[in-house]
Amino acid sequence: MAKYKSIFTRAVHVGERGAKPDFKPVSMPIYNSVGYLYEDLKDLDAVFGSERPGFVYARYGNPTNSALEEVLADLEEGEAALTFGSGMAAVYASLMAAGVKAGTAVVSAFDVYGATYAICARLLPNWGVKAQFVDVTNLREVEQALAETKPAAIILETISNPLMKVADVPAITRLAHQAGAKVIVDNTFATPVLFQPLAQGVDFCVHSTTKYIGGHGDVLGGAIVTSNANRKILHEIIKMTGGNLGPAEAWLTLRGVKTLPLRMRQHCLNAMEVAKWLQAHPHVSKVNYPGLTHHPQHDLSMKLFPEALFGGMISFEIKNAGKKEIFRFMESLELILPATTLGDVYSLTLYPAMSSHRALSPEERGKVGISDSLVRLSVGIEDASEIIADLERALEKIK
Ligand SMILES: Cc1ncc(COP(=O)(O)O)c(C=O)c1O
């Protein structure tokens, strides 16, 4: 940059904003730039005014996040998506965009992820929102709650955390829409490989992309897939409140998406094998997995998940076990890691009473059906026989 003589100016500007490239990178680069330039300021003005697409400031969006949003919208068969810094940021924004505000009500499934439950049970009531919890597998109870509270929104999970209950999303969506409520479905456990809520009329499909979509346990994130109109509302919210996914995180997640169908298939095949094995084990009193024929929503699952893939998540109860025995079991595992997450390539186990559902009081947990003998297992993509061998060793140790 011969134009400038000073080393101070040259150090700052040389090498940046060079000639327009005549090539395209094969994979999306990480756009770390916070600001974006246009030759004509009219274009910048038009982007600010949402009259044309483009980028102006990182909190408003950037090309790496856009690429991730495009593929998530495509896989979920939605019109548009918006990414967030975590699944919880996405859950929270979806409630706001659905019109949950002072003087309204929200109906939530009982056994949603602990932090989602805590938003509805503790945070929203502080702001004058009435929250009512229902067993979403009981359609009569759902209908009654909708009629009683006339909520702005109902929030539920396709496959619930940690009890693996499967919600009749098409039927609940019909009931909610008849009652004038928006429907928010957290599809984290099912992923679009198993099920696409938007195709059933759901308004907001939420993901913790930290889980299966990222898939490798190395990136926190969230997303909402929805209509163009709802995305506009969400975009106004994120422009004001932030909570954005960083571009490096978006890039890692985009990389994860590419193998999502492959990984998901392996997770599901492994989980089916592990669930069947657990069911036959003398130390195990109960196995929650939608692929097992005794599961209360097995027939519904066959209908909703047409490829007969039932997810990679299992929960099970160990006979006569309390916290002490569960800790011994988890500490005895060698391959399966006792880490507080799920949906990774690694097999992972978690004690809901201690971690994911710690925010609930023991009474609340009891009501939901999360006992002190319940263990959650996220089945990884390792060899199923080696996962089973690890479980067998650890179950023997608690005898
Ligand atoms: C079903 C479900 N939804 C949302 C979340 C929250 O996601 P995050 O940890 O990315 O905020 C979790 C986290 O475990 C989850 O299991």
Side-chain angles (χ1 to χ4, degrees):
M1 210 187 246
K3 203 165 149 191
Y4 299 106
K5 287 213 165 55
S6 165
I7 193 165
F8 288 91
T9 309
R10 279 159 36 221
V12 170
H13 287 283
V14 172
E16 296 284 8
R17 305 173 298 279
K20 269 201 187 133
D22 62 352
F23 57 85
K24 273 189 190 166
V26 172
S27 67
M28 175 55 71
I30 304 174
Y31 277 82
N32 273 326
S33 185
V34 170
Y36 293 85
L37 300 172
Y38 295 81
E39 270 164 29
D40 194 329
L41 270 184
K42 262 198 239 140
D43 286 323
L44 186 64
D45 187 41
V47 178
F48 263 118
S50 305
E51 288 136 30
R52 55 152 283 185
F55 304 98
V56 290
Y57 182 64
R59 181 156 35 78
Y60 294 24
N62 82 60
T64 316
N65 289 53
S66 273
L68 175 60
E69 288 160 5
E70 194 179 329
V71 68
L72 292 180
D74 186 275
L75 299 187
E76 281 288 8
E77 294 188 11
E79 287 177 354
L82 191 62
T83 47
F84 291 83
S86 73
M88 287 322 300
V91 167
Y92 185 61
S94 71
L95 288 162
M96 279 199 273
V100 174
K101 58 183 177 202
T104 67
V106 65
V107 171
S108 167
F110 253 127
D111 59 331
V112 280
Y113 175 59
T116 304
Y117 182 93
I119 287 181
C120 295
R122 303 202 227 301
L123 197 61
L124 294 179
N126 283 341
W127 295 355
V129 176
K130 182 176 155 45
Q132 184 150 333
F133 294 89
V134 291
D135 176 357
V136 284
T137 62
N138 182 340
L139 289 181
R140 198 171 278 193
E141 199 179 315
V142 173
E143 199 170 8
Q144 208 169 348
L146 290 167
E148 270 170 31
T149 62
K150 301 243 174 309
I154 180 166
I155 183 162
L156 58 138
E157 294 166 359
T158 312
I159 303 175
S160 78
N161 181 5
L163 296 171
M164 315 307 153
K165 289 184 182 177
V166 178
D168 190 343
V169 174
I172 293 169
T173 302
R174 274 194 301 277
L175 291 174
H177 284 168
Q178 277 161 17
K182 294 271 195 278
V183 182
I184 303 167
V185 170
D186 183 331
N187 204 34
T188 299
F189 277 28
T191 81
V193 177
L194 269 65
F195 182 68
Q196 291 135 329
L198 296 172
Q200 305 299 329
V202 163
D203 300 285
F204 298 89
C205 168
V206 177
H207 278 281
S208 165
T209 57
T210 316
K211 315 301 181 203
Y212 289 105
I213 289 178
H216 297 73
D218 51 13
V219 57
L220 191 77
I224 303 174
V225 187
T226 186
S227 63
N228 283 325
N230 284 334
R231 200 226 186 240
K232 270 195 188 135
I233 301 171
L234 287 163
H235 194 224
E236 290 309 312
I237 293 172
I238 206 167
K239 273 161 62 182
M240 284 185 273
T241 60
N244 306 68
L245 183 72
E249 285 77 8
W251 182 84
L252 267 177
T253 310
L254 185 60
R255 186 176 168 142
V257 171
K258 296 182 196 310
T259 55
L260 174 69
L262 284 171
R263 285 184 284 108
M264 215 46 213
R265 212 158 283 255
Q266 185 71 14
H267 282 298
C268 294
L269 296 177
N270 279 358
M272 188 60 139
E273 213 172 314
V274 171
K276 282 186 181 159
W277 181 85
L278 281 170
Q279 194 182 20
H281 197 282
H283 295 350
V284 174
S285 52
K286 189 175 181 198
V287 182
N288 302 312
Y289 186 64
L292 296 177
T293 50
H294 79 259
H295 185 282
Q297 292 91 42
H298 178 68
D299 291 346
L300 171 67
S301 307
M302 295 283 286
K303 236 171 51 195
L304 295 185
F305 313 144
E307 288 197 50
L309 297 172
F310 302 98
M313 298 299 300
I314 299 173
S315 61
F316 61 99
E317 289 182 12
I318 300 179
K319 257 183 211 163
N320 305 321
K323 190 172 174 178
K324 197 174 95 202
E325 291 76 19
I326 300 289
F327 276 23
R328 199 179 320 142
F329 164 73
M330 286 171 65
E331 282 164 2
S332 305
L333 292 165
E334 290 169 18
L335 175 70
I336 303 169
L337 309 170
T340 309
T341 186
L342 64 98
D344 292 350
V345 287
Y346 323 101
S347 287
L348 302 156
T349 186
L350 168 149
Y351 186 38
M354 174 184 75
S355 47
S356 63
H357 289 70
R358 197 186 183 106
L360 277 67
S361 67
E363 294 72 39
E364 284 171 326
R365 279 199 298 274
K367 228 166 136 189
V368 175
I370 301 169
S371 75
D372 283 354
S373 61
L374 186 79
V375 179
R376 193 185 78 185
L377 180 64
S378 171
V379 181
I381 63 167
E382 305 97 332
D383 190 286
S385 67
E386 289 178 339
I387 300 170
I388 288 171
D390 200 32
L391 287 168
E392 185 158 33
R393 244 189 333 262
L395 281 169
E396 281 312 307
K397 292 255 174 74
I398 58 163
K399 250 207 309 209

